[in-house]
């Protein structure tokens, strides 16, 4: 497509919470600020399950066009004929029901991670998307960052040699006993599919998979063996989980590769939030390693260390409108520097390009891989003795979860 005629992709936003606000503010940043010239994003509508007025306020807060429609139900949103794709931003407990609603209505979907509560739900969504010839992708934003492309290239180019080991941790010291004293917060509430694994641990697993699984030829990829240990919060949700993954790989690639993925809400991998404690992820080959610094969901620095003495430090700032724009974004109580995007526009660009090119899934985490990752998390929970309430694990549709 000519760079002079960008294609406009019209979005609907399903849910109006914190992650939806961060995503939508990023979505509306001019793509040219990140050297993307083939697509422009607009927000056609947003829906809140609680009230139309909440959706109206959301659209004002994110800077959407005055022509954007506000809906007081998800059912109304999915019927809007002007919407090309819907971003699902509800808690993962509700993803199966919400995504199925969108697919049944003939809408393409970008669904926030974790995709579903279990693999059985995801397999049904994948089947439905294929039946309807619709685009479906998990919004694992980190996969689409330039730093992720750089690291994957280090692996596939052989610069690290044969990569056989990965460490990845994403843990936050949240003091759950005090912070979540009423047991209702989504991080520990099993009725919202809470716990460290599905919310934080998926990032640790993501770094293991995108370096040891995605980097293999597609026909060679096999699911890893899983060994896991889990500590539980009083609600039953996991508060600390450690996973060992054994990835089958060819002898030419160095044989089986091991990955250790850890996550917790009771300890932090970055106590002072300045990186003093070291990298959040290390990808190691027989010629060297690359270290990922900053929270691994949104890393800002990398360090390449090779046996030949090479040390390459790189910084990976997020683009955006820039200083002097008066524009800010962030997540929760954290606000980024003026004019600095959060980084969620990269996944939006990927979804948009999928629609333009006629693809039905993401390039850097296809639906097959998403299913394998959900199966890994299912097995981790099985070994940890952690089941969600029956209605959350159910594949019945429609099912009222509230």
């Amino acid at each position: 497509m000519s760079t002079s005629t960008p294609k406009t992709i019209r979005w609907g936003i399903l849910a109006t919470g914190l992650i939806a606000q961060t995503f939508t503010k990023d979505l509306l940043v001019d793509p040219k600020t990140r050297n993307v010239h083939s697509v422009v994003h607009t927000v056609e509508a947003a829906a809140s399950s609680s009230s139309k007025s909440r959706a109206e306020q959301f659209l004002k807060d994110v800077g959407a066009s005055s022509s954007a429609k506000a809906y007081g139900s998800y059912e109304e949103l999915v019927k809007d004929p002007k919407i090309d794709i819907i971003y699902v931003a509800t808690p993962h407990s509700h993803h199966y029901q919400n995504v199925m609603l969108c697919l049944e209505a003939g809408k393409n979907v970008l669904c926030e991670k974790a995709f579903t509560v279990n693999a059985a739900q995801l397999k049904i969504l994948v089947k439905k998307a294929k039946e309807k010839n619709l685009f479906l992708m998990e919004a694992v934003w980190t996969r689409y960052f330039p730093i992720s492309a750089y690291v994957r290239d280090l692996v596939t180019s052989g610069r690290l040699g044969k990569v056989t080991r990965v460490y990845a941790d994403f843990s936050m010291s949240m003091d759950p006993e005090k912070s979540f004293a009423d047991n209702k917060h989504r991080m520990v509430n099993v009725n919202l599919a809470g716990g460290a694994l599905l919310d934080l641990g998926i990032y640790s697993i993501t770094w293991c998979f995108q370096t040891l699984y995605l980097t293999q030829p597609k026909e060679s990829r096999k699911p890893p063996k899983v060994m896991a240990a889990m500590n539980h919060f009083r609600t039953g949700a996991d508060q600390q989980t450690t996973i060992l993954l054994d990835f089958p790989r060819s002898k030419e690639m160095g044989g089986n590769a091991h990955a250790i993925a850890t996550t917790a809400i009771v300890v932090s991998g970055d106590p002072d939030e300045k990186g003093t404690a070291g990298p959040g992820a290390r990808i190691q080959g027989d010629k060297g390693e690359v270290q990922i610094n900053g929270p691994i969901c949104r890393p800002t620095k990398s360090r390449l260390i090779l046996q030949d003495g090479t040390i390459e430090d790189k910084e990976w700032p997020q683009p955006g409108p820039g200083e002097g724009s008066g524009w800010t974004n962030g997540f929760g109580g954290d606000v980024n520097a003026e004019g600095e995007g959060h980084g969620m526009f990269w996944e939006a660009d990927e979804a948009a390009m999928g629609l333009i090119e006629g693809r039905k899934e993401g390039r850097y985490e296809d639906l097959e891989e998403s299913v394998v990752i959900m199966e890994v998390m299912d097995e981790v929970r099985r070994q940890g003795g952690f089941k969600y309430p029956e209605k959350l694990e159910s594949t019945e549709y429609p099912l009222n979860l509230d």
Side-chain angles (χ1 to χ4, degrees):
M1 176 170 289
S2 170
T3 56
S4 62
T5 56
K7 170 74 173 175
T8 298
I9 299 298
R10 305 168 299 177
W11 290 79
I13 310 298
L14 191 151
T16 56
L18 293 176
I19 196 68
Q21 181 160 327
T22 301
F23 173 86
T24 309
K25 289 187 73 174
D26 258 17
L27 182 73
L28 294 173
V29 171
D30 185 350
K32 290 194 290 291
T33 61
R34 53 188 180 272
N35 201 31
V36 172
H37 300 276
S38 52
V39 65
V40 172
H41 304 280
T42 64
V43 173
E44 286 294 322
S48 168
S49 61
S50 58
S51 69
K52 180 180 178 181
S53 61
R54 183 166 179 175
E56 290 172 339
Q57 187 60 51
F58 172 85
L59 290 168
K60 291 178 183 176
D61 291 344
V62 299
S65 167
S66 58
S67 64
K69 291 185 178 180
Y71 294 112
S73 73
Y74 301 154
E75 289 76 14
E76 292 175 281
L77 177 76
V78 301
K79 293 175 183 176
D80 189 322
K82 293 184 178 180
I83 293 172
D84 297 315
I85 184 168
I86 292 177
Y87 170 64
V88 173
T90 47
H92 25 256
S93 52
H94 289 55
H95 286 176
Y96 177 66
Q97 299 293 325
N98 298 154
V99 173
M100 186 64 84
L101 177 70
C102 296
L103 295 176
E104 288 280 19
K107 289 291 190 280
N108 301 294
V109 175
L110 174 66
C111 178
E112 193 48 64
K113 57 83 198 160
F115 223 146
T116 48
V117 171
N118 57 45
Q121 293 177 343
L122 180 53
K123 289 176 182 177
I124 293 172
L125 294 180
V126 170
K127 182 180 179 182
K128 178 63 67 174
K130 290 181 178 178
E131 286 174 359
K132 296 264 190 176
N133 197 31
L134 294 168
F135 180 90
L136 178 62
M137 179 178 128
E138 185 175 16
V140 184
W141 57 321
T142 315
R143 289 260 183 165
Y144 299 93
F145 289 178
I147 187 176
S148 289
Y150 163 76
V151 170
R152 293 192 299 264
D153 183 64
L154 288 175
V155 175
T156 56
S157 68
R159 199 162 180 211
L160 298 177
K162 294 177 179 178
V163 174
T164 59
R165 189 167 65 183
V166 172
Y167 297 97
D169 173 70
F170 192 35
S171 301
M172 296 181 178
S173 184
M174 297 183 176
D175 194 7
E177 293 288 343
K178 294 180 180 178
S179 302
F180 312 138
D182 64 2
N183 300 335
K184 294 180 180 179
H185 191 279
R186 67 177 182 83
M187 286 301 303
V188 296
N189 186 345
V190 294
N191 292 310
L192 294 176
L197 176 64
L198 292 193
D199 200 274
L200 304 180
I202 189 169
Y203 290 113
S204 306
I205 294 171
T206 288
W207 278 100
C208 300
F209 264 80
Q210 75 166 341
T211 53
L212 297 178
Y213 186 86
L214 180 61
T215 54
Q216 295 187 60
K218 190 169 178 63
E219 64 274 9
S220 302
R221 299 172 193 167
K222 295 178 182 178
K225 294 179 182 178
V226 180
M227 289 158 276
M230 182 179 284
N231 292 340
H232 300 268
F233 187 61
R234 60 172 172 259
T235 59
D238 68 303
Q239 63 178 13
Q240 179 167 290
T241 297
T242 299
I243 308 161
L244 174 61
L245 301 172
D246 182 9
F247 286 87
R249 285 162 68 96
S250 68
K251 189 175 294 185
E252 292 74 25
M253 297 190 78
N256 283 20
H258 298 165
I260 297 174
T262 56
T263 187
I265 59 173
V266 290
V267 294
S268 175
D270 184 18
D272 63 2
E273 298 184 358
K274 295 179 181 178
T276 309
R282 299 172 69 186
I283 296 90
Q284 301 177 321
D286 59 4
K287 292 182 180 178
E289 72 172 62
V290 60
Q291 301 176 347
I292 310 303
N293 295 285
I296 63 171
C297 65
R298 187 179 182 267
T300 54
K301 296 178 182 179
S302 65
R303 168 168 279 197
L304 176 66
I305 306 171
L306 301 180
Q307 283 186 344
D308 63 10
T310 298
I311 297 179
E312 289 181 9
D313 290 320
K314 289 181 177 287
E315 296 197 3
W316 303 88
Q318 292 291 349
E323 290 184 20
S325 63
W327 182 91
T328 58
N329 200 5
F331 180 70
D334 297 327
V335 180
N336 305 325
E338 181 188 17
E340 179 186 314
H342 200 63
M344 303 194 82
F345 32 58
W346 301 112
E347 64 184 1
D349 292 342
E350 170 64 17
M353 289 308 299
L355 299 189
I356 293 169
E357 295 168 358
R359 288 187 283 108
K360 303 304 174 185
E361 56 191 348
R363 287 175 296 174
Y364 306 122
E365 184 181 339
D366 62 18
L367 293 171
E368 176 270 336
E369 185 174 354
S370 290
V371 168
V372 172
I373 289 173
M374 284 306 312
E375 289 174 334
V376 165
M377 293 197 289
D378 283 355
E379 177 61 16
V380 170
R381 288 198 295 122
R382 187 194 70 79
Q383 292 185 25
F386 179 20
K387 285 187 177 181
Y388 287 110
E390 186 176 345
K391 64 180 180 180
L392 264 62
E393 302 265 11
S394 174
T395 56
E396 183 181 341
Y397 173 84
L399 184 63
N400 184 7
L401 299 178
D402 300 318

